[in-house]
Each structure stands twice: as structure tokens, then as C-alpha cells.
Amino acid sequence: MPGNMHTLTAVVCFATSIAARPAIEWVDCHQYVPPPLFQNFPDANVSVVPPTLHCGQLVVPMNYAQPMSETNNITLGLAMYPNSSDHSNAGGSDQNTVFAWQAALGLNDDFQPDFSGLLEYDLMMMDVRGTCFSNPLNVSIEVAEAVLGPHPTNAVEYHTFEANAARMFRSWEQLSSPPGIIKHVGTAEVVQDFESIRNALGYETIHFLADSYGTYRAGQYAATFPRRVGHFALDAVVSHGLNLTIQAKQDVLAINRGIQRADAYCLNNSSCPFHEQGKGAVPQHKVLESVLSRARNGTLSACLGKSKKCSQKISAFVVQTTMYSLMQQNPDFPLMFEILAAALEGNGKGFVSTSTPTIDQFWAIVFLCNDNQAIEDKTFAAFKRMHTFAEQYDRFGVQQAVTYQAQLICSAYPFSAPPLQPVELEATMLLLTADFDVYDPTERTTFAWKHTPNSALVVRHGDDHVSFQLPKQQSTEITKEFLRTGNLPAAINDTFVTVYEPGSKREPVADPYDVPTGFAAGDVDSS
């Protein structure tokens, strides 16, 4: 095999060296088909495993601070697209064994990663500990759903929410195996897992393609094992060292931009039902503003079935969470307009979710809480201060943010976490962000770039979270070129991408109305 390895979507943190090289057990891939594969590609044929896919397991310490033993071990699931036949079978990152399957089966679409141009490398994907094939955490959906309701508005509601969150964590602790694993599902341990896999495969260095929360792990791995760093591309960076109050403000600013991007899409498309109302139609001009007003005064209901009976009242919280969801990852503005247009007539059927939560949607909570020591004050007063500070920047009344949930849920987390501090990285890296990423605001990548002085910054002018999942975009080709060569791109300033060289200064975030909308900008049209 070549002397380096490429991994998708990150995982990382404080790791200790392992004296003896651990052994990977290669297994039958038919027994380890990742469920997300069929969510992305329902017709995927897995009856014949291609020779370019290997699946494996590696036993590692649950707690790296203690020797591995019968009671101190977990099993990591991994999958590989090997460029040589030296090894059989492997696994993934987050729930990312799925991407090794996609690469091996040649499955691609306009909004899924395309690894063409990188297949000369051995691609390794791991399901991070606590997920999928790596000792998945176990909690009942009923218990977990109790933390999904409206934000508390007073101390009594806050204590009720806190009690529900504490019950969820106790359930995880009691139902998950091996006992005590919940305390060791964090970036600190995942970084060591990556190092264990690198050591087992015998690579001197690794190349790392990390996206979203994976970038948090990639950065920590680079800080912990600098001699192992090859070409690291961090896409939609989750930065170290930002307190939650600043993150909440950034969330709100990103939501504002997301609403304005929907408005810009409407301006650019005559099919939008609010097109004739001109600029400002979606956020104001009796659209979103009016729908929220209907929800607050109790005149927005869901009219379902052939009888069109309108019985289920739609709350403002449901409108807000749906709008927030529609702006994240592959924003589907035409669907948003359809839902809003019906709601203006009093029918809020588009705000009624038909999907049932699954346990994998909650796994990230434990990582978030294990990694987060930013919550120094766990009182309702502290939450209210953060919420009030951020909401002064809220122009359109969406009032949702991942950071709010992090503060609420992790305030009840019973275990300690590492201190909050920036990570300083001297390695040459490529950092990427999108101006209108609502899920991971672009300001966070800018903050991380200031702490990686030898790195270039790629700003994609458009929508969506994570640029690499838009395979036909210019930013994706820049990423692949860096992963292949390790050479940073030269400075450019084009319609859909701007590249900043190390040491330069980023310009302000683009005006949402100045960047073209549509497929090239990362928009989806489900119709």
C-alpha cells in the first residue's frame, strides 16, 4: 500500500502512543452494510461486494488512560477502498463507512461526495466510537425526544428540560455497552482511535478530508500528532476555543443570511409564488412574518387527508424549527415557498413532520457534551443571557440555533470535559467554508484560519453545508488538487469561489443578493 492514507469526515484528540501494533480483523462486508447507504441510494446493489471494498474491525481501549483489558475495550468498525490488495476488508468516520461503499460501488449524484481523482489513495472511513458498527450508544427514542421541545422561557420550564436531559444521559449510561462507554465518547478518544488505525495499517502519514464536526477532530489530531500530518483539508470548520455566546450570535447571523438567500432565490425565479412582491417578500411583506403571526394567534392548522380537516394547531416553535431545518444542508427553497404559500392560506400541513426520529440523530449529543467545557454557568439565568444577547441580532424571528440546544442539553451532562481553548496549528492546510452555510456559520472557519497561519482559505459563494458534497463545484476541484499534491491554491476571486493565501485578510461575507442562486450555488429544487 502507499505510504499515506486518506480519511473522510474527521475524528480526533489527545492520544497516547501504542507500543505494539494492533491487528485489524478483516470481516465479510455483507455483514456490515451501513444503513445510510440505502438512505442515500435506495437501489444500491450490495449482493456482490466489489474487490475495491474491504471491511474490518479493530479492538482499542475504551479508556486510553488505562491498559486495554476485558472490561476496557471497544471495537471500531472501518471500511476501506484500497488501492492495492495488501489488506482485506475495513470501516468509517462518524457513520462514514457508507462513503467507502459509495466509492467502491461507483455511486454518485449531484449532492453526494465523489471521490474520482482521489482513488489512487487508500481511502479509509471509520464509524466513530459510539455510532453504527463501533459500539453504538443506546437510548430509547421516547427518552431522547423529551429534549426536542420549545426552549424554556422561565426557571420552572428550564428545570423540567434539565431533568429530561439528565434522564436521557442516565439512560445512555445504563443501556450502552460496555459499561462506562458514555464518558469516553469524545474527540479526545476518537483522535487516539485514528492513531491506532494508522499504526495498525503501518502508514507513516495520513491525508485527511474532514467536514463539519470532523474538522474539530482533524484539527485536534494535527495538534496531537504533527509528524503524522499529510495533506489536511478541513471543510466547514468547527473551531476550537469559541464560547457559546459568540457561537449563538454567529448562528443567528447565519440564519439571517439564509432567509435572505431564500429571498434572493425568489427574486431570481418567476416560479416563486412571491416573486412579484419584489425584494424582501420572503422575510417580510406578509410572508414569514404573517405565517409566524398566524401561528402565535392560533389560526394556523394542519389540513390533512381527503377531508382537508384542519385540526392540528401549528405553533410558532414548529414554524421556526421547520424554517431552520429547510435552510440547512442542500436548502430546498422551492419547497420552502410551497410550505409558506399554503400557510398564508391557513394550512400549515407543510410544517407537520412525517418522519420518525432515529437514534443515530442523537449520537452527536454525547460528543458535543464530552468536548464542551464552555458551559461554566448552568443556570436558567445564564441561558437567558445568552439567548437575549443572540436574539438582538435576529432580524426575521426564526429564533433557532444549534448553540441553544447545546447550552440546554449539555448543562445537564454529568461528566467533565476538556477546557475550552483554541488549537494552534503550524501545518500547511486547506480550510473551506461557504458564505451562506446556516448549519456551521462561516465566521467559525475564519476564526480557525487565524489559528492556522500557514493555511489557505477557500470561500465558496453559495448555499449548503460542506462544499465537498457538491462534486461539480470549483471548490471541490480545488480540494481534490490539494489532497493530491499538497500544494496550496493561488489566490483567485471568481463568481463562486474566492481563495485567500496564508497571511492575507478575508473580505466581509458576500451580500446574499449579490451571489447567483441555483444549482451552481448549492441550491436544491425538489420539484
Side-chain angles (χ1 to χ4, degrees), residues 220-336:
Q220 194 61 59
Y221 181 90
T224 308
F225 301 103
R227 294 191 303 110
R228 304 304 182 188
V229 174
H231 312 153
F232 274 43
L234 278 58
D235 191 342
V237 180
V238 176
S239 50
H240 296 72
L242 273 177
N243 70 57
L244 289 181
T245 299
I246 298 301
Q247 290 187 47
K249 173 186 174 181
Q250 293 172 348
D251 283 340
V252 171
L253 294 176
I255 293 165
N256 291 344
R257 292 190 290 260
I259 292 291
Q260 290 175 309
R261 284 296 289 170
D263 196 53
Y265 189 101
C266 191
L267 274 175
N268 295 337
N269 291 269
S270 59
S271 60
C272 172
F274 321 116
H275 176 74
E276 297 300 325
Q277 297 182 38
K279 186 176 181 179
V282 175
Q284 296 158 326
H285 296 190
K286 300 183 179 179
V287 180
L288 178 57
E289 190 178 277
S290 295
V291 171
L292 283 169
S293 178
R294 274 183 172 275
R296 291 188 178 104
N297 65 28
T299 60
L300 182 61
S301 301
C303 308
L304 304 173
K306 294 181 180 179
S307 66
K308 299 295 183 183
K309 183 178 180 180
C310 304
S311 56
Q312 182 179 344
K313 295 293 185 183
I314 304 298
S315 68
F317 175 77
V318 170
V319 172
Q320 291 162 335
T321 54
T322 302
M323 291 296 295
Y324 186 40
S325 177
L326 287 170
M327 289 185 288
Q328 297 179 27
Q329 291 187 248
N330 309 128
D332 189 340
F333 295 132
L335 176 60
M336 178 189 294

Side-chain angles (χ1 to χ4, degrees), residues 1 14 76 122 155 175 214 231 251 276-278 313 323 356 371 375 383 387 395 403 434 510 522:
M1 279 187 170
F14 315 96
L76 303 175
D122 297 329
L175 299 177
H231 312 153
D251 283 340
E276 297 300 325
Q277 297 182 38
K313 295 293 185 183
M323 291 296 295
T356 302
D371 289 344
I375 308 172
F383 172 74
H387 197 281
R395 297 177 57 188
T403 307

